[in-house]
Amino acid sequence: MRLCVPTEDDRGLAATMAEHFGRAPFFTFVDVGGGVDDDTARVVRNPDCHAHTGGCHHVPILEAHGADAVVCRGIGRRAAAALIEAGIAVHAPSARTVADIVTEFRQGRARALAPDAFCTGGGHGSHGRHRHGHGTRGAA
């Protein structure tokens, strides 16, 4: 399975997950293999990290990199719907680093992000940011 984790930095497995999918500076793709040494991480700059238009224009990027699932805490309803329609699952982690997220998946602790946890666009401040408490709320 290939995971896409929106990240704040480009440190691969050591990268920190970004709070919001669409505004993440990077996408870190990880092939979750059978053992720790089987994991490979590939980091791609998010070309649209400051765009916040309707829908999800990230689907082609994720499809091009073969993502099976996105792991994030914050994602808009339209973006989540577009990903799910494209066959890309959306999961909520409790971990903060890519390596720990991979461990969650391996241990079967990864949970689908519930629709009531998707962002509705409200709460954005003047800088287009809002706080997320999505890490545990809404996991099904």
Side-chain angles (χ1 to χ4, degrees), residues 10-107:
D10 62 354
R11 297 181 300 144
L13 293 172
T16 302
M17 182 180 59
E19 285 297 315
H20 198 277
F21 168 73
R23 293 189 177 262
F26 300 96
F27 292 134
T28 300
F29 295 90
V30 182
D31 292 320
V32 180
V36 173
D37 294 335
D38 294 335
D39 298 331
T40 57
R42 181 177 25 173
V43 180
V44 176
R45 182 171 291 283
N46 176 1
D48 297 319
C49 72
H50 297 293
H52 219 59
T53 58
C56 184
H57 45 277
H58 295 95
V59 170
I61 296 166
L62 295 163
E63 288 178 331
H65 290 280
D68 297 303
V70 167
V71 182
C72 63
R73 289 197 175 150
I75 187 168
R77 290 183 191 277
R78 288 182 289 196
L83 291 171
I84 292 166
E85 185 176 314
I88 301 170
V90 181
H91 293 274
S94 60
R96 297 287 302 151
T97 66
V98 175
D100 290 341
I101 289 167
V102 169
T103 298
E104 281 187 9
F105 265 82
R106 238 191 228 114
Q107 294 174 348

